[in-house]
Amino acid sequence: MSFQNPVFIPGPTNMPEALRKACDMPTLDHRSPLFGDILQPALQGVKKILKTEVAEVFVFPSTGTGGWETVITNTLSPGDRILAARNGMFSHRWIDMCQRHGLKVDVVETPWGAGLPADRYEEILTADKNHEIKAVLATHNETATGVKSNIAAVRRALNAANHPALLLVDGVSSIASMDFRMDEWGVDAAVTGSQKGFMLPAGLAIVAMSPKAQAAIETAKLPRTFFDVRDMMKAYASNAYPYTPAVGLLNGLKQSCDMLLGEGLENVFTRHHRIAEGVRAAVRAWGLDLCAKSPDVYSDTVSAIRTPEGFNATDIVTHAAGKYGVAFGVGLGEVAGKVFRIGHLGSLTDVMTLSGLATAEMVMADLGLDIKLGSGVAAAQEYYRNEGAIASKEAA
Ligand SMILES: *Cc1c(COP(=O)(O)O)cnc(C)c1O
């Protein structure tokens, strides 16, 4: 297997050389002042990427899943009612975690391929006169289906119902790749990990909490130790950790923020949108459909592509890896075998994307699908040529 090819999975994403080097550090005493020079810029960088002035950022040695646990155990108590929609594998897993923690989840079953139903949220919240619902979960970008949801609309639903529940958002596959406005959207807790938009190895859970979420920490009764934000806050006050920090990854995070902010956040989002539009042009040229039902929910970080009835989409992923050394994402849960996914986030350019599309065409042709070689690539090329393609140096 060749390790020269970019991956096209929606995390872990391709790592820029500069970030790999930033993570590769000699041993550093995390109780020395040197550590603060890594920690503080990393925390400040994340705040800028989240567009928040008021939230505090906490970074745990963990992954996005640990970020979910951090958020719920620090803000909620056993038996609390929470509201969540299930529209894919990741929203499902977060709901499952809540249930296993003894929370009562009002689950709004939502078609896989649709966005979060903000209008249903509003009805349920409005009916909850006694404010029994303590939190609303929202997965900003459902990585299993390639569906982006409107977090501002979820906030409007809470406001319209005049409801005080916390708004807890999974931004694992959106943050640092798609626009995320923590303060403007009134997000109380945001969760991500290091291995998606931040282009780093897996190993960090990145969490931000609004002042309202921080206030909830004092009354929350779910058990927590490793993920107790109070311990982290206390340690941060003296540039330390309650245990051994992942220093190399934190140094990578600091550099990643510099890289993203250096490119310019709006440029990062535009690049992701342009790359995604090229992929979507290719999918149309192949005569295939996206799992995402309508353009307003198309994700700019991952496309889940439906394959014809009777065809096992997972074969595409297996064959691409075996014959061409290229990784695509399999379908998960309800859409397993029905879709394959092209991840297009992180360190990626138009030209890298074309190689993935060309590979997908070879694979589909090998497997007997009615795909004309070059058709999707040509559609994407036309789009990239005409949509002001930029030689994105920082992204490479
Ligand atoms: C990847 C992902 C997760 C899980 O993150 P891990 O880092 O694998 O624990 C959660 N939510 C979404 C939307 C994701 O894409």
Side-chain angles (χ1 to χ4, degrees):
M1 156 113 42
S2 162
F3 290 100
Q4 299 298 311
N5 293 319
V7 295
F8 295 96
I9 46 177
T13 62
N14 300 296
M15 286 186 275
E17 200 57 21
L19 295 190
R20 284 182 54 194
K21 287 184 177 146
C23 295
D24 181 2
M25 285 183 72
T27 306
L28 182 148
D29 176 5
H30 58 279
R31 298 183 202 283
S32 76
L34 285 176
F35 180 60
D37 296 340
I38 296 171
L39 176 65
Q40 292 305 335
L43 299 177
Q44 292 309 317
V46 172
K47 284 179 76 164
K48 287 192 187 118
I49 286 163
L50 295 173
K51 297 188 177 168
T52 180
E53 305 271 339
V54 300
E56 291 296 335
V57 172
F58 305 99
V59 183
F60 293 87
S62 183
T63 69
T65 305
W68 286 342
E69 188 160 329
T70 301
V71 163
I72 63 171
T73 58
N74 280 279
T75 60
L76 299 168
S77 300
D80 275 356
R81 249 180 91 189
I82 63 175
L83 174 60
R86 174 162 35 219
N87 65 337
M89 199 60 184
F90 292 92
S91 43
H92 164 70
R93 285 190 185 147
W94 201 8
I95 288 167
D96 176 58
M97 174 188 275
C98 289
Q99 289 168 335
R100 290 205 244 166
H101 276 84
L103 299 167
K104 292 201 206 88
V105 191
D106 288 22
V107 180
V108 182
E109 296 296 347
T110 304
W112 289 38
L116 296 179
D119 44 351
R120 270 302 286 147
Y121 277 8
E122 183 177 332
E123 285 167 17
I124 294 167
L125 292 164
T126 304
D128 177 34
K129 296 284 179 237
N130 297 331
H131 297 164
E132 281 172 20
I133 295 171
K134 298 301 176 204
V136 174
L137 305 188
T139 299
H140 185 204
N141 190 73
E142 183 38 90
T143 319
T145 55
V147 163
K148 164 187 77 177
S149 284
N150 187 339
I151 301 301
V154 176
R155 166 46 66 195
R156 281 195 296 275
L158 277 151
N159 291 353
N162 208 1
H163 201 291
L166 295 167
L167 174 54
L168 312 180
V169 178
D170 172 343
V172 181
S173 62
S174 59
I175 287 167
S177 308
M178 283 157 51
D179 197 11
F180 192 91
R181 306 182 184 188
M182 181 146 187
D183 289 356
E184 187 184 318
W185 296 343
V187 172
D188 290 305
V191 174
T192 188
S194 48
Q195 80 277 21
K196 297 190 181 175
F198 287 105
M199 307 169 283
L200 295 167
L204 299 178
I206 301 164
V207 171
M209 295 173 87
S210 73
K212 187 169 152 188
Q214 290 177 52
I217 294 173
E218 297 311 322
T219 52
K221 297 208 170 46
L222 278 175
R224 63 224 192 238
T225 49
F226 186 84
F227 290 123
D228 198 324
V229 167
R230 290 168 298 190
D231 295 341
M232 199 58 99
M233 277 180 178
K234 219 180 290 163
Y236 279 3
S238 49
N239 285 329
Y241 255 61
Y243 32 71
T244 315
V247 177
L249 284 170
L250 283 164
N251 194 51
L253 184 60
K254 169 187 157 186
Q255 298 290 336
S256 171
C257 291
D258 282 352
M259 185 179 274
L260 290 160
L261 296 166
E263 183 178 350
L265 277 187
E266 302 314 313
N267 295 333
V268 171
F269 305 147
T270 303
R271 172 167 57 84
H272 280 84
H273 181 70
R274 194 185 60 247
I275 287 174
E277 283 285 293
V279 172
R280 292 189 279 263
V283 172
R284 270 194 303 277
W286 295 332
L288 298 176
D289 290 324
L290 291 168
C291 182
K293 288 189 189 309
S294 53
D296 57 315
V297 298
Y298 288 169
S299 163
D300 284 341
T301 60
V302 55
S303 295
I305 300 155
R306 289 192 182 277
T307 51
E309 226 27 71
F311 181 86
N312 181 5
T314 303
D315 290 347
I316 291 177
V317 178
T318 311
H319 187 76
K323 185 164 176 190
Y324 300 110
V326 169
F328 295 109
V330 293
L332 300 171
E334 222 173 79
V335 292
K338 296 181 182 159
V339 307
F340 75 102
R341 293 176 299 154
I342 300 182
H344 36 79
L345 74 162
S347 179
L348 211 61
T349 63
D350 300 351
V351 168
M352 288 160 83
T353 307
L354 290 171
S355 75
L357 297 175
T359 310
E361 289 179 351
M362 292 193 284
V363 170
M364 290 189 284
D366 288 350
L367 296 175
L369 287 181
D370 182 21
I371 299 288
K372 185 169 176 291
L373 290 181
S375 59
V377 171
Q381 285 171 319
E382 281 305 329
Y383 181 81
Y384 295 146
R385 284 175 68 216
N386 296 321
E387 286 305 310
I390 45 170
S392 194
K393 205 166 59 193
E394 288 91 343

